[in-house]
Amino acid sequence: MVFEEYKDSLLDYLNQEKILMERDIELHQDLPDEEKVEQGYLIPACRITNHLDDSYELTATENNSKLRAGDKVTLVCEDGSTIKGVTIIENFFNRISIATEKTLDKEKEYEILVTEAVLLDPLINLIEGLENGAPGSFYLEELCGAELPEEQGCYPIDIGSVFVPPRLNEAQLSAVDKALNRPSLHCIQGPPGTGKTDVLATIARIFSEKGKEVLVISNTHQAVNNALNAVAQYPVPVVKIGETLKAQELDDRIQKEKTFGAYLRTRKGKKRSRNAKGAIVGMTLHGAIINLGLRSSGFSPSIVLVDEAGQIPLTFGSAIGTFGSGSVIFIGDDRQMPPIFHPELKGDELSVSVFSHVADMYPDFKTVLDTTYRMNTEITDFINKHFYEPYGISLKSLREPKFTDSIEVKSLPSAPDSPWEDYNPEEAVIVADYALQYVKKGLEVAVVTPFRKQVNCIRGLIADLFETNNMQDRVPLVDTVERLQGQSVDVIIISTSASNPQYYHNIESFILERHRMNVMCSRAKDKVIFVKNDIVDLDRM
């Protein structure tokens, strides 16, 4: 495929996706509120829990939405007034961050209503304007296979000439070394707990110390903040671009700028000495599309580090070449949760992550981190068997188990008329008891289930049980797997919920899907507990 064909296929896909999103929003406008909530088009009972400048964080009792940064929504106040064109900053668990020029009343309750489909517009505009031979076109030719990536770019850095932390293992050193060669593309696959953030921070710090500017991007503010906090442990200039509300968890040594324009004004006012360290600038991918892709910025990174690249759609990742760098390093894991695609586009060849696409197309341009510092040896063996060894990857762990049964399975006997589908109060009672038992031991616990209804059922039981035991301040996280990636705790409790044989037969592939199960299990350091009906066969994963 040549450049123009690939560009056209991207635009066809994005325009089709936008049409489908607009159609879905239109079809859901007349549904009862209960169904809108269930299907993620309405977030009810939101309360303001944080506020800075024109940004607000709202906490919801139920949030089934798949809103992403850049989406537009309508706020409906309890008094009936509405505010249209509100921008989503981040959608994380039951906390939704928004930006609006209107002043919100902290004492009132709001609903978030999905009414617009404008997220894709900036990306479509950027790709439409990309011409053959312009910055970013060679990158696009690499993505479609018209040009081969380059293993070494201009002015590579010799790893022997720089400080590398002695704690890095052999695979981590190899990943750093290859990134320092400034390849046009490279993937660093970081399975659970293998220290990919440490590798990212080391690469960014070395380039900065050589006077080179670095761009760190990811899908979410949380991922960008985690990466920048790791980089800030070194004495290098680190800058975060984005709403002040999403900068509160950043290290005090990090410069925070609300807008990219504000950063450029600050930067212009500083005289840069000849031996000055290069700036390490972080922002979301959506922010980079707006600030670096669509606008002339004057910031030209020597390297782009893309964190959590396994969750970035190829269509969005296709814009990264326009950010002004000849070297893009994708850091992620395509054996964990993939991006969310529209159901009618799931079979399209472009419905993959940018990480999977590059790693599959150019397997020689990939380094795998192979030592986990999170999971103990027994959990690692389980993860290996089901999720990595079938794909030619073998993980090892240096942590011995704390328990004699790090993988525990509690199977409930099925009955011919067992009624439970995506809601199972029998399992919920057992899960709540397990959670209380391990929290009392001083362990950090999280509960995960594939279904929102089961999340709400378990949350209610756990809240009551922990209140009865005067442990309200130690209630564990309970959520779906989509909201769990990036977390790590001592004990993970998994409720599969389904006991109705016909229902389970229809949805087995969803419950046992490898990416989902990998994320569920691999959040645990010391113990994984499966609570399930005996019709659920874990060996089928």
Side-chain angles (χ1 to χ4, degrees), residues 385-405:
K385 174 185 174 183
H386 291 286
F387 311 124
Y388 288 99
E389 287 177 352
Y391 302 92
I393 296 172
S394 182
L395 292 177
K396 54 181 177 285
S397 170
L398 306 178
R399 294 187 67 244
E400 291 302 316
K402 286 184 180 180
F403 303 98
T404 56
D405 54 348

Side-chain angles (χ1 to χ4, degrees), residues 148-163:
L148 291 178
E150 299 170 350
E151 291 189 65
Q152 189 175 97
C154 296
Y155 306 110
I157 299 172
D158 178 8
I159 195 171
S161 68
V162 295
F163 169 74

